[in-house]
Amino acid sequence: MATTLPTPPKVGMVSLGCPKNLVDSERILTKLRADGYQMSPDYAGADVVLVNTCGFLDSAKEESLEAIGEAIAENGRVIVTGCMGKEAEVIRARFPDVLAVTGAHQYEQVVDAVHEAAPPIPSPFIDLVPEAGLKLTPRHYSYLKISEGCNHRCAFCIIPSLRGDLVSRRPDAILREAEKLVAAGTRELLVISQDTSAYGVDLRHAERNWKGAPVRAHMTDLARELGKLGAWVRLHYVYPYPHVEQVVPLMADGLITPYLDIPFQHASPKVLKAMKRPANDAKVLERIKAWRRTCPDLAIRSSFVVGFPGETEEDFQYLLDWLDEAQLDRVGAFRFEPVEGAAANALPDPVPEDVKEERYARIMEKTAAISAARLAAKVGRTLPVIIDEVDEDGGATARSQADAPEIDGNVLLRDARGLEPGDIVPALIEDADEHDLFGVPAGPPSHIGT
């Protein structure tokens, strides 16, 4: 006699904000899937909708509120989580019908709220989940969160009040998760945290056993072990502390991807002091030059804030001159935006909006020119690239080791028939513009990470 399976409840998810939020969403969905829930791709098919919010800037808060409103209008049964969960009263005042509000990385509370709103149906036939968990990214790349929170108190940032102080994961737990992800098809691990350089400080860099040998809770040890798993390993949110120098040789040896995402935020000593930024010494340019001597292919991406309170034209010009010297590969810029609870809001001498816009345009023009020159220098070289998408006409969208998904450029390939997402192939670079490279596959896919 055939067994009739019960119809499990379905959960929809709207995930906003940074990759750290995306990892939180994946963990929540993995737990719910293990409890027998199905995932709904739309509002109509969901028994309850989760909205994972961002609360870093006022504009991000407004986007989160709009997403909550849309979910309520389209479905009606909404649970809110994420960074904006700290402002539950604001959310409930605007949307009194939300079922529950929880804060960032409060996984158990979110799952409990879903259980209450749409009780699970226990069944050994449907309580199944892949060993590596559920993913919201393509199969071939995965975000790997190594810590929560931050010990810094930058004047423009409210992350510590949203996510707390630094709490590092055990290195063996991180490596176990990474190993499962690679076994499940991940070809690129994107290491994320609020401050990757500070990983393990709260654990006093304690050792844990991994594969019969001790591994410290330290960025260098972790990077070295991750590099042995056979996938690209890309480091994000790295502050330029002295021990970064220990990681660069691993890049030169091909163990991890020659890429550093360093949030410099500014260059003017006066502005950095007002921002209360760490590691703001004048030797950063010297360090960048030393890193590139060790690893000539090192790509550095960063982000900068223009129009911070008190920023003068002299400060801004200092930043432009610094960028000429640093020659960063990828740069994002943001106009300063006050956010409720940030110390910077009380600083004197706010920069007028029209001046912010003018400076934003100038820094984007400057960094586009630097990017174009650095990309042009790669024409004629053969570089390893990872395939993200393949189209019906035989073209493919790929990325080099200098390009993180979603935030950097692409390598657009012709004559790429037969390739699949996740393939890593050599590509002959034929042309370049301000942001992207253009080329053609120069060999078959490899079956090793680098």
Side-chain angles (χ1 to χ4, degrees):
M1 184 178 185
T3 300
T4 301
L5 298 180
T7 301
K10 293 184 178 181
V11 177
M13 169 69 83
V14 178
S15 187
L16 304 172
C18 65
K20 293 177 283 294
N21 250 24
L22 188 69
V23 172
D24 290 346
S25 295
E26 290 177 339
R27 290 180 177 174
I28 292 167
L29 292 181
T30 294
K31 180 62 175 72
L32 291 173
R33 185 67 186 90
D35 290 345
Y37 290 86
Q38 289 186 355
M39 304 302 120
S40 174
D42 52 40
Y43 292 119
D47 294 288
V48 63
V49 175
L50 298 176
V51 180
N52 194 356
T53 59
C54 178
F56 183 56
L57 298 172
D58 288 347
S59 56
K61 292 180 182 180
E62 188 57 38
E63 181 185 6
S64 294
L65 291 171
E66 290 176 2
I68 296 168
E70 180 180 331
I72 289 177
E74 296 291 335
N75 182 278
R77 297 174 57 77
V78 176
I79 293 170
V80 178
T81 186
C83 292
M84 203 178 169
K86 283 272 189 178
E87 301 183 39
E89 68 285 353
V90 173
I91 295 170
R92 291 193 179 280
R94 186 157 167 180
F95 305 108
D97 294 332
V98 295
L99 301 178
V101 181
T102 73
H105 53 82
Q106 293 181 340
Y107 310 125
E108 292 182 2
Q109 292 92 323
V110 177
V111 171
D112 288 345
V114 173
H115 284 183
E116 183 174 345
I121 303 174
S123 170
F125 297 101
I126 61 175
D127 295 353
L128 302 174
V129 68
E131 187 178 15
L134 297 184
K135 285 163 47 59
L136 297 176
T137 56
R139 180 173 179 264
H140 61 281
Y141 67 80
S142 302
Y143 290 102
L144 183 67
K145 187 191 286 189
I146 64 173
S147 65
E148 296 282 2
C150 184
N151 288 341
H152 302 304
R153 296 297 183 265
C154 301
F156 55 81
C157 183
I158 59 171
I159 290 297
S161 67
L162 296 176
R163 291 180 172 265
D165 289 336
L166 176 73
V167 179
S168 300
R169 298 175 62 195
R170 288 171 39 165
D172 53 332
I174 296 170
L175 291 165
R176 192 173 301 113
E177 178 186 351
E179 188 175 56
K180 289 180 179 180
L181 288 169
V182 173
T186 291
R187 306 297 308 280
E188 179 180 18
L189 293 164
L190 300 116
V191 177
I192 58 170
S193 67
Q194 206 60 46
D195 179 359
T196 296
S197 299
Y199 168 69
V201 167
D202 57 313
L203 302 178
R204 298 183 182 274
H205 301 305
E207 293 182 346
R208 291 286 181 175
N209 184 67
W210 173 252
K211 305 289 187 182
V215 177
R216 290 185 305 157
H218 189 281
M219 181 178 74
T220 306
D221 292 39
L222 186 64
R224 182 182 295 109
E225 294 303 316
L226 289 172
K228 297 176 183 178
L229 297 179
W232 286 8
V233 177
R234 192 180 298 277
L235 301 178
H236 287 274
Y237 312 116
V238 176
Y239 284 81
Y241 300 145
H243 64 258
V244 173
E245 295 170 6
Q246 302 168 22
V247 175
V248 177
L250 302 180
M251 300 177 180
D253 292 341
L255 198 63
I256 63 174
T257 305
Y259 178 99
L260 285 175
D261 175 5
I262 303 178
F264 289 117
Q265 305 296 12
H266 214 281
S268 162
K270 189 192 80 177
V271 175
L272 287 169
K273 183 177 180 180
M275 287 180 168
K276 297 184 178 179
R277 291 291 292 168
N280 61 353
D281 66 61
K283 295 183 179 179
V284 170
L285 285 174
E286 295 178 20
R287 287 181 179 173
I288 291 174
K289 291 176 182 177
W291 298 340
R292 284 178 168 154
R293 283 194 297 269
T294 301
C295 182
D297 282 334
L298 173 64
I300 303 176
R301 95 162 323 272
S302 190
S303 56
F304 296 87
V305 176
V306 300
F308 191 79
E311 181 192 60
T312 63
E313 176 61 26
E314 183 181 8
D315 294 323
F316 182 69
Q317 187 60 51
Y318 188 104
L319 171 57
L320 295 184
D321 294 342
W322 188 92
L323 287 167
D324 274 330
E325 185 78 14
Q327 290 289 296
L328 304 183
D329 298 83
R330 302 292 191 186
V331 171
F334 303 89
R335 309 160 189 82
F336 172 75
E337 180 181 324
V339 58
E340 186 176 351
N345 299 346
L347 292 176
D349 303 320
V351 177
E353 291 301 319
D354 60 334
V355 176
K356 288 183 191 178
E357 289 296 329
E358 186 264 346
R359 290 177 182 171
Y360 175 79
R362 286 162 63 193
I363 193 172
M364 295 309 293
E365 181 181 7
K366 167 72 70 177
T367 56
I370 293 172
S371 174
R374 294 190 67 81
L375 291 176
K378 297 181 180 183
V379 174
R381 293 185 60 189
T382 298
L383 304 174
V385 301
I386 188 167
I387 305 298
D388 283 334
E389 298 178 9
V390 179
D391 62 42
E392 297 177 353
D393 298 323
T397 301
R399 288 177 291 107
S400 74
Q401 292 187 313
D403 303 306
E406 305 294 334
I407 56 175
D408 293 326
N410 294 307
V411 181
L412 304 175
L413 301 178
R414 61 180 179 84
D415 298 337
R417 294 189 187 281
L419 296 179
E420 297 180 357
D423 283 344
I424 295 175
V425 301
L428 173 62
I429 306 304
E430 300 174 315
D431 200 0
D433 62 18
E434 291 181 348
H435 304 291
D436 300 320
L437 296 171
F438 303 84
V440 62
S446 67
H447 298 286
I448 59 174
T450 56

